[in-house]
Amino acid sequence: MRGKHFEGEAMIEIDGSYGEGGGQILRTALALSCLTGKPTRIFAIRTGRKKPGLRPQHLSAVRAAAGISGAAVEGAAPGATELLFAPGSVGGGDFCFDIGTAGAATLVLQAVLPPLLFAGRPSTVVVSGGTHVPFSPSYDYLAGVFGPMLARLGGRIGLSCSRCGFYPRGGGRIRCTVEPAAALTPLRVEKPGRLLRVRGLSAVGQLPLSIAERQRLSALAILEAAELAAEIDCAEVQTPGKGTFVFLRGESEHALAGFAALGALGKRAETVGAEAARE
């Protein structure tokens, strides 16, 4: 039964199983609901997945969207396949969200950044969780590709990562500042243009720096064989767990692109570097 917040409301109906039927439909629907102020019913959420319904990182996105908009929410429970979301106004401010698992912090930010860009005042959002985990953009992609491309539209955000969170431990921490935008300017990029340079980072957390160097050399060998000059730095990152990654950014005349690979238990460092370079 719907609560009083949803009685008499003309709700937008979203089929969560459409297309690939993943969490992206949920996050986009939440962001658009907050932007437009229109209540939304999302049904059949992730019903085609091995573990259907809302998982911890999806629930974190719901809580985050509700937190910035004062929304009334029904159905926000683990495994739920239907959600009712009625937002209030988005006024900006300071927010902190903890996923509690290695769920992707970058994906939670996807649900709140669009509406906060049009809030009445600046905002700061801190999200704790996974910063470098499978099946999601890494922090480096957000900072090195998404942020700069958003700036071309007129959206100004600032990003920092004080701790990296790897699977399965999580515990990473991303801080994002958002400046209100009076408007966003359309951007049309039909071709990336000539590739100008490739820059990258090979990093380890609570593991020998030599692993990062092996990842770096493996990536460089493949790029050089393809006649692509690259600069790749090595670094040790703060993390409560253990992990490694390689992130490469291709800088072209008109666009930026990011390519990443993650380490895993039993996965050779050379394989990690090669994966990123081949991408």
Side-chain angles (χ1 to χ4, degrees):
M1 176 179 288
R2 297 183 181 181
K4 62 180 181 179
H5 297 288
F6 301 95
E7 293 177 358
E9 293 277 7
M11 306 191 76
I12 293 178
E13 304 276 341
I14 303 289
D15 182 351
S17 67
Y18 182 81
E20 56 94 20
Q24 190 61 52
I25 295 178
L26 171 73
R27 291 184 292 271
T28 301
L30 292 170
L32 290 174
S33 182
C34 290
L35 268 171
T36 61
K38 296 180 179 180
T40 303
R41 171 179 173 254
I42 311 168
F43 61 93
I45 299 171
R46 301 181 70 253
T47 50
R49 294 304 173 93
K50 185 176 180 180
K51 294 182 178 180
L54 297 171
R55 308 302 299 167
Q57 78 173 35
H58 307 115
L59 288 168
S60 294
V62 174
R63 288 193 295 269
I68 67 167
S69 66
V73 182
E74 289 185 11
T81 58
E82 180 175 332
L83 182 80
L84 304 180
F85 186 88
S89 60
V90 179
D94 298 325
F95 307 95
C96 187
F97 307 109
D98 187 351
I99 299 173
T101 68
T106 55
L107 296 183
V108 172
L109 282 171
Q110 284 186 352
V112 299
L113 280 180
L116 288 178
L117 281 170
F118 294 95
R121 60 185 173 125
S123 300
T124 299
V125 183
V126 176
V127 185
S128 299
T131 62
H132 297 78
V133 292
F135 310 112
S136 63
S138 67
Y139 164 77
D140 302 276
Y141 183 89
L142 209 67
V145 178
F146 176 81
M149 293 301 290
L150 180 63
R152 297 190 191 183
L153 299 172
R156 293 185 297 164
I157 63 174
L159 290 155
S160 62
C161 179
S162 58
R163 292 195 308 267
C164 290
F166 298 98
Y167 181 83
R169 181 74 180 271
R173 185 179 175 90
I174 296 176
R175 183 177 186 269
C176 179
T177 57
V178 187
E179 292 292 330
L184 294 183
T185 304
L187 174 66
R188 183 172 181 173
V189 179
E190 294 183 330
K191 295 181 180 180
R194 183 171 56 91
L195 181 65
L196 302 176
R197 64 186 63 87
V198 177
R199 294 178 177 172
L201 177 66
S202 176
V204 294
Q206 294 205 43
L207 290 167
L209 188 59
S210 60
I211 293 176
E213 179 63 15
R214 287 166 56 200
Q215 292 179 160
R216 171 182 174 273
L217 292 175
S218 177
L220 284 174
I222 290 176
L223 293 171
E224 289 170 1
E227 298 183 346
L228 294 175
E231 298 177 11
I232 304 176
D233 296 325
C234 288
E236 294 179 280
V237 297
Q238 295 295 317
T239 176
K242 293 181 178 180
T244 80
F245 69 87
V246 173
F247 177 78
L248 303 175
R249 186 174 82 162
E251 302 175 15
S252 301
E253 290 178 303
H254 309 302
L256 300 171
F259 311 92
L262 297 169
L265 190 64
K267 187 176 181 180
R268 298 182 71 244
E270 288 75 14
T271 302
V272 179
E275 282 182 0
R278 291 189 178 116
E279 285 292 322

